[in-house]
Amino acid sequence: MYNKIIVFEGIDGSGKTYHIKKVSQYLKYKKIKFIKIREPGGTKNSEIIRKIILNGKSTFKKKTDLLLYLASRNENYENLIKPNIDKKIILIDRFKDSTIAYQHYGMRINKDIIEKINNFIIGDLKIDYTFLHTVPLKSIKKKISGKKNKYDMFNKNFYKEVQRGFLKILKKNKNKLIIDSSKSKKYNTQIIKTKINKILNINE
Ligand code: TYD
C-alpha cells in the first residue's frame, strides 16, 4: 500500500526541508509516484499567499496571518491533496500541526478556533505519518541563519514555545518519529529512510 500522506514538521532551522528533499530523491530513485507540497505555498495561488505572509516587512496582525495560512491550506487541499489521495504518496513540508504550534503555542491564538477552521478545510483527512524535527533547547537561536522571513524577528523563547507545542501535539501519536537535529544529517537520513521503507512497504 503506497498512497500515504507523510508530513515533515519542526521549527525553523530544524532540517525538515533538507530531509523531505532527501526522501523525494529516494522515491524518485525507486520510481515511486509522489507529490511534494510545502506550506504555506504549494499551488500558484498559495505561493502568492506565502509571499504576502512571509514578507519581512509584513505588518499583518496575528489573526490575519492565521487566516492566510489557512487560506493557503485550502488552495493546497482542493487543488493538490484531494485529487491525489489514493493516487500518489503526498509529502508535505509543514501542515496543520504547524498552525497549532506557531499560532496557538507561539502566538497564543485560541486553539479551538484554529482547529475548527482547519477541520472546515480538511475535514477528517488522515495523516499517516509525521516526522518531527527538533532542535536541542540550548541550540535554539534567535536568528536562524540565512533566513529573512518575518519569523526571524521572533525571539528564542518563541521558538522554544513552538517546539514545546509540537511535542505536546504529537505526544500521543504513535505514527510519528522525532528526529534530533543535533545528530548528523547522514544518521538522520538513514533512520528516516528505514522508516519510509517500512511505512511504504519498500524493499531495499
Ligand atoms: P517554512 O516554509 O519552513 O520557511 P522556509 O522555507 O523559510 O524554511 O515556513 C515558513 C514560516 O511559516 C515558518 O516560520 C513557520 C510559519 N508557519 C506558521 O506560522 N503557521 C503555519 O500554519 C505554517 C504552515 C507555517
Side-chain angles (χ1 to χ4, degrees):
M1 237 295 278
Y2 275 151
N3 307 313
K4 306 255 180 188
I5 299 180
I6 302 171
V7 176
F8 292 71
E9 292 283 13
I11 60 168
D12 301 56
S14 60
K16 63 182 173 43
T17 307
Y18 174 87
H19 288 295
I20 197 171
K21 211 166 154 189
K22 281 279 175 194
V23 171
S24 310
Q25 287 166 353
Y26 178 59
L27 295 182
K28 246 181 225 160
Y29 166 74
K30 287 282 183 188
K31 297 192 166 55
I32 293 169
K33 279 193 183 148
F34 69 96
I35 58 164
K36 179 161 81 89
I37 303 168
R38 69 167 175 180
E39 282 210 354
T43 62
K44 201 171 156 219
N45 283 340
S46 40
E47 286 295 328
I48 295 171
I49 300 174
R50 179 185 176 91
K51 278 202 188 112
I52 301 173
I53 317 176
L54 297 180
N55 177 345
K57 294 188 191 88
S58 162
T59 54
F60 284 138
K61 300 291 183 198
K62 59 186 187 181
K63 289 181 196 165
T64 312
D65 273 349
L66 166 71
L67 294 169
L68 288 170
Y69 284 120
L70 293 163
S72 159
R73 177 157 310 140
N74 190 50
E75 287 297 309
N76 276 343
Y77 179 67
E78 302 225 11
N79 294 310
L80 297 171
I81 299 176
K82 218 164 140 190
N84 283 300
I85 292 173
D86 291 333
K87 291 200 180 77
K88 287 178 186 165
I89 291 160
I90 303 175
L91 305 178
I92 314 179
D93 188 340
R94 295 197 183 285
F95 203 45
K96 61 182 171 106
D97 293 346
S98 269
T99 322
I100 301 290
Y102 279 82
Q103 274 63 49
H104 171 63
Y105 288 100
M107 307 296 286
R108 305 269 161 212
I109 299 177
N110 181 285
K111 194 174 163 196
D112 292 343
I113 296 286
I114 303 174
E115 279 173 347
K116 272 204 183 102
I117 310 176
N118 201 52
N119 287 344
F120 172 58
I121 294 169
I122 64 169
D124 58 0
L125 181 77
K126 192 174 154 272
I127 307 299
D128 295 288
Y129 207 84
T130 303
F131 290 100
L132 173 62
H133 301 261
T134 60
V135 180
L137 289 182
K138 62 175 174 23
S139 310
I140 295 181
K141 297 185 201 79
K142 181 175 189 291
K143 189 130 183 100
I144 314 283
S145 62
K147 290 191 58 180
K148 276 196 191 65
N149 75 41
K150 181 172 169 175
Y151 285 79
D152 292 340
M153 320 286 178
F154 292 104
N155 62 25
K156 234 160 107 171
N157 223 37
F158 174 81
Y159 287 108
K160 283 188 183 165
E161 288 302 322
V162 173
Q163 178 157 292
R164 204 171 293 148
F166 272 124
L167 288 164
K168 236 184 204 167
I169 298 163
L170 287 160
K171 195 171 174 198
K172 291 198 184 109
N173 187 336
K174 289 193 188 84
N175 298 315
K176 60 127 188 319
L177 187 66
I178 295 175
I179 304 297
D180 173 359
S181 68
S182 66
K183 301 249 168 64
S184 76
K185 277 186 176 168
K186 202 174 163 195
Y187 172 84
N188 282 335
T189 301
Q190 188 54 48
I191 56 167
I192 293 172
K193 188 174 143 190
T194 305
K195 187 52 87 176
I196 288 282
N197 284 338
K198 203 168 164 213
I199 304 166
L200 302 177
N201 261 325
I202 300 174
N203 294 319
E204 264 209 81

